[in-house]
Amino acid sequence: MSFTVPSPKDAILAAQNVTMRFGGIVAVNDMNVALPQGSICGIIGPNGAGKTTLFNILSGFYTPTEGDVLFKGKSIRKKSPDRVCKLGIARTFQNIRLSSQMTVLENVMVGCHVRRHCSWWMAALGLPNYYREEDEIRDKARALVEKVDLGAMQNEKAGSLPYGAQRRLEIARALATEPSLLLLDEPAAGMNPQESLDLLHFIRQIREEFNLTILLIEHDMKVVMGVCEYIWVMEYGALIAEGEPAAIQENPEVIRAYLGDDFVKGH
Amino acid sequence: MRFNRTTFICLALMAAGALFLTQADMFLSNYQLYILKLFFINAILALSLNLIYGFTGMFSLGHAGFMALGAYMAALCILPPEQKEMMWILEPIIWPFSELFTPFWLAVILGGLVAFVFALFIAVPALRLGDDYLGIATLGFAEIIRVLLTNATPITNGSLGIKGIPDSATLLTCYVWMLITLVVIARIVYGNFGNVLRCIRDNEIAAQVMGINVFGYKVMSFCVGAFFAGVGGALLGSHLSTIDPKMFNFLLTFQVLMYVVAGGLGSLTGSILGAGIITVLLEWLRAIEEPMDFFGLVEIPGIPGMRMVVFSVLLLAIILYRREGIMGSREITLAGIGRFFRRLATRTAGREAQ
Ligand SMILES: Nc1ncnc2c1ncn2[C@@H]1O[C@H](COP(=O)(O)OP(=O)(O)OP(=O)(O)O)[C@@H](O)[C@H]1O
Ligand SMILES: [Mg+2]
């Protein structure tokens, strides 16, 4: 079965001619990306290619200088990150951003917050439905912590976990917001080969279980080629290639971008 | 409210405390009662600042301003109209403040509300700033409040201040308000809303990505803190019976900050402990401001302000050697106390067996 890039209207997420300039730097240059519902896709490219910047645009941290971002057919170009999250986009960070002083469970509970109905004053008054919801949140967070195999460490400080566990915790926290689209920024960074392999299965598993669409940035080619159905390749902010994993591996432009001109000429 | 054993023990302890306080004048001198009341008020102030600074990480130096608003509002509410008419000699007091006359509990709540509303106005420009800038901005706003109070003579009696405020803040009232403050803040802070506030404190960007309206929750924390600062100010004004704009200067904020830092940022019981220890310590230290006479050999004349010097040295010591304060971010809990006594018991039993 071959992969077809959907039209922006049919895609769950579509970046249309997105450009991001910081002063003189063009960090993202006229990018077009469109994800079909339920797919797992990847963005690769050498360091400084603008991948994280694109994520920051998709998650509402930057308003693109030009172009538009559509989520489920509606523009989210001007939306703030918290609004974007409410709409159903969750993400993780390349440099992990957990509350290191808080426990594993508390970190995931923060993720549950966005879907709660009670307001803070109900907590202040100690109303019964506040306590009921509080219990639900705790149970939901526990289940997610179990899901990422951190059940035994749920009361440890997040900062004391090993690197790989922190990455999984960040994913659990993102899942707690009940997203329909998950953006993963280098989820395998700092993991050993076994951990990356587990991650690969885990990504497929959560896609099924939570009915997700996943877009990931990754340098670990085993993960990218193993899990992605379609790949966009960036260099200096611009798209240099796109296609299915097998085609991308053969693409001379991609090989040049990753390994340098000399390598290509030498062969 | 959640009805389990812990709740019942806490309620029982609170009731026992209240019962003790109604009988306290039998065991304690007037001076000791005065200190005890001051401690309750200071604990309210410390708890409210801890919500803002300790749990939400907003370095706010505006506490004295909010206290001043609460104190003035409450004083205007509980002074009888005739007395107000006599006291405002620079300019006559204007309506509706001239006619305002409410019971004390309402006066305290109104004091808190005025501080709350003012905090709401300050929040919009100030809370967009971070860290030290927020500190400077809130400090500025507190000064603005002071200047306003000094110059709004038809309402505040200007620099003359307000004297003879009825001492309606009884020991029990202050105690109950401290409990209300503790329970309300504890409920906000020790649930998922507290997790949200701490997440904002630790990593604002992560909080945003989790769909948290960071600015909204900062405003909430700031305004709830300001409300209780206003309540504390209202009680303090009635307790001291005299207020004027000068007493709500930066030093007062600094003192509250001391309680919080000494007790531990992010620990409510720590704030109460910090307020208690420092309130008592400051009273003891009054002794060193008296003239001293060492066996008739050396005579030191009294130096007013000496205790603030000692106090500052103490603060330096805390910052240098124990930055997390007495409690850090831990709390004294019933379970914790139970564990402590059980450990003590097993240790004694072990020693007897040897
Ligand atoms: N806020 C900003 N202001 C100015 N320049 C920025 C900003 N954010 C990113 N850039 C620049 O944009 C370019 C792309 O950065 P980005 O972090 O998106 O790269 P990346 O593809 O994620 O790289 P890596 O693989 O190293 O994570 C870099 O040259 C960076 O310096
Ligand atoms: Mg990056």
Side-chain angles (χ1 to χ4, degrees), chain A residues 22 25 27 46-53 62 94 186 219:
Chain A
F22 298 107
I25 304 168
N47 290 112
K51 306 178 296 292
T52 300
T53 308
Y62 298 150
Q94 183 172 357
E186 305 200 12
H219 282 301

Side-chain angles (χ1 to χ4, degrees), chain B residues 56-123:
Chain B
T56 325
M58 296 183 288
F59 186 49
S60 162
L61 295 175
H63 238 54
F66 300 134
M67 289 166 64
L69 290 171
Y72 268 91
M73 186 65 207
L76 285 168
C77 284
I78 56 175
L79 270 177
E82 316 82 63
Q83 206 174 328
K84 281 189 264 194
E85 213 156 304
M86 279 192 331
M87 205 186 310
W88 266 245
I89 47 175
L90 297 172
E91 276 176 63
I93 185 165
I94 55 162
W95 191 87
F97 297 101
S98 55
E99 296 300 324
L100 200 62
F101 192 52
T102 70
F104 186 61
W105 63 267
L106 188 59
V108 174
I109 292 176
L110 285 175
L113 282 179
V114 169
F116 181 94
V117 170
F118 209 88
L120 214 54
F121 281 114
I122 293 177

